[in-house]
Amino acid sequence: MTIRHQLRWGGLFICVAAILMSGMNIVVHAGYHTALIQAVYGLGFTGLVLAGVVLYVAQARRTGWAGRLAYFVSGLGLIYANVATFLSLAELAGHPEVHAALVAVWETLPIVRLAVYGVFLGLTLTGLTAAQAGVFSSWAGIAVALGVTLQLPAQFARGIAGPLFFIFTIGGSALFGAGLAWMGWQLWSGSAAGQPAAGQPLAEAHRRWGGPLVIIAGGLFSLNALLNNLGELSLIDGISHLLMYTSLVFASPVWHIAQAHQAGRLGLAGFLLTHLGATLSIIPACLIMAQLAGAVPDNAALMVAWVDLPVGRAGDYMTLAGLFLLGLGTLRAGVFPRWTGWLVLAGLAVILPTYFVTQPYLFLVFWAIGATLTGAALAVIGGRVLRPACAGRRL
């Protein structure tokens, strides 16, 4: 399955994500807000993270540094703002104990508030760069940028009355959804311009930032496990845990794209699971960091995210399964040294018993050894991505 074919299906996914998010946003602004509506909105919101990857890859050769900035700012904003989306869902679903955590991450620990503003900035840049790149219709990019910008005043003036409220919120949501859905349709229908050809190597700029990012992800994967072996949990442990999953969200597309044609559907499944799993795992990781920072007084919200509405547990399992499939894809593709694929699989095999052992010291030992092996493999893969031979059989 070539990158071009994968982008085509990615276009259909963008259409679905745009309809889910914008549609539910309009419903909420119209005065209807239930747990089901928030859940569907959350699906669309989470889907936008993957949609951003598809849009970036589709036009990476034409957007330059502005496209990369839009990709990172919108991606970071979406994955961290998703914490508030989940906590709002949990509260609507009958878990009032999460309200204190929602207030804390918004007021005391401003990472979520900054992320929300980052979403507005990043998606506006995404629309503007798309309008300029020429891969999609210019009006679609303008509609995305204008639709996001129109919604921003409502964040500061929620008391806006009458028609202005609907113009800023519902009108902006409709414009954004229409523009994004049209981009997705152009990918799905094959009418988007300048698509990567089969076997086409990674763009030079993509390698320059992608290689170091995969190396950093490998280092954080190992570092997080090692820090957890050093004394009591501290804020540093929480930060490293959060950064580990954040780096995997952005490193997994680089790993996948470098071997996409050769790894086929196996590699694609590994990327999708890793990317979505890491995105969901950001939610409990952020809550853990907030608790260790003293911003959240107890672990009530964390338990909801892990047990009652187990997005954290599901994300953890999905990430491990995705990394396993990416490792198998590396063995199959032969783009990277095959021993790196074996090292990923060996590391994950050592980590697996941590889900069954009850002794804390065994958990720490298995996790530290397994994460070190997997992290080392990722670091080597990142180093090979930096080499200008991404179209060849061996990097």
Side-chain angles (χ1 to χ4, degrees):
M1 181 182 287
T2 66
I3 279 287
R4 187 163 188 161
H5 190 61
Q6 292 177 29
L7 287 174
R8 180 171 180 266
W9 283 99
L12 187 61
F13 177 85
I14 290 174
C15 292
V16 173
I19 292 170
L20 290 179
M21 182 182 176
S22 294
M24 292 305 100
N25 212 24
I26 290 171
V27 170
V28 170
H29 288 309
Y32 304 95
H33 200 187
T34 65
L36 179 60
I37 291 172
Q38 182 69 11
V40 176
Y41 172 79
L43 288 174
F45 200 86
T46 303
L48 276 186
V49 185
L50 178 58
V53 177
V54 178
L55 290 175
Y56 170 73
V57 175
Q59 47 188 354
R61 298 175 184 278
R62 298 193 181 193
T63 55
W65 67 266
R68 292 191 292 277
L69 180 64
Y71 169 58
F72 280 111
V73 173
S74 61
L76 285 170
L78 287 166
I79 60 177
Y80 286 121
N82 211 23
V83 178
T85 302
F86 169 78
L87 292 175
S88 297
L89 168 61
E91 190 171 10
L92 287 168
H95 296 281
E97 64 271 24
V98 306
H99 182 74
L102 178 59
V103 174
V105 297
W106 187 263
E107 300 289 346
T108 311
L109 197 69
I111 183 173
V112 174
R113 183 184 298 183
L114 290 174
V116 170
Y117 298 146
V119 171
F120 284 99
L121 175 60
L123 291 179
T124 300
L125 287 174
T126 297
L128 293 175
T129 54
Q132 186 179 34
V135 174
F136 304 105
S137 298
S138 295
W139 77 262
I142 294 171
V144 167
L146 183 59
V148 174
T149 305
L150 278 175
Q151 296 177 68
L152 185 58
Q155 295 295 312
F156 301 97
R158 294 187 178 274
I160 294 174
L164 277 180
F165 176 81
F166 295 103
I167 291 173
F168 284 131
T169 55
I170 295 179
S173 296
L175 264 180
F176 169 76
L180 191 64
W182 185 251
M183 291 184 194
W185 177 256
Q186 286 189 288
L187 280 176
W188 170 249
S189 64
S191 59
Q195 294 301 292
Q200 196 171 34
L202 286 171
E204 182 64 30
H206 189 80
R207 281 202 309 272
R208 286 199 301 267
W209 68 259
L213 189 55
V214 178
I215 294 172
I216 291 171
L220 288 171
F221 201 83
S222 300
L223 178 64
N224 177 63
L226 295 174
L227 286 175
N228 276 274
N229 276 285
L230 301 176
E232 296 293 327
L233 288 178
S234 66
L235 181 57
I236 297 298
D237 298 296
I239 293 173
S240 70
H241 185 64
L242 181 62
L243 290 179
M244 178 193 74
Y245 281 114
T246 303
S247 66
L248 283 176
V249 171
F250 293 100
S252 55
V254 179
W255 185 1
H256 168 61
I257 292 167
Q259 59 181 17
H261 180 61
Q262 294 87 348
R265 289 180 174 84
L266 184 66
L268 176 61
F271 156 63
L272 292 175
L273 282 172
T274 304
H275 191 266
L276 179 57
T279 298
L280 293 177
S281 295
I282 293 291
I283 296 170
C286 193
L287 293 173
I288 290 172
M289 188 193 72
Q291 189 175 342
L292 291 172
V296 176
D298 54 46
N299 67 347
L302 179 61
M303 292 305 295
V304 171
W306 196 259
V307 178
D308 300 289
L309 299 173
V311 295
R313 181 179 298 177
D316 198 22
Y317 293 157
M318 290 172 68
T319 302
L320 288 178
L323 289 172
F324 181 82
L325 292 178
L326 278 172
L328 287 178
T330 298
L331 288 175
R332 175 182 176 179
V335 173
F336 300 106
R338 294 186 186 276
W339 63 264
T340 58
W342 285 115
L343 199 58
V344 169
L345 299 182
L348 296 175
V350 176
I351 289 174
L352 190 59
T354 63
Y355 290 88
F356 305 100
V357 299
T358 56
Q359 296 87 348
Y361 70 92
L362 285 178
F363 173 89
L364 294 174
V365 169
F366 281 129
W367 177 252
I369 294 174
T372 299
L373 293 176
T374 302
L378 283 173
V380 173
I381 289 171
R384 294 303 181 99
V385 168
L386 281 168
R387 298 185 181 183
C390 292
R393 294 294 301 170
R394 182 79 55 185
L395 286 178

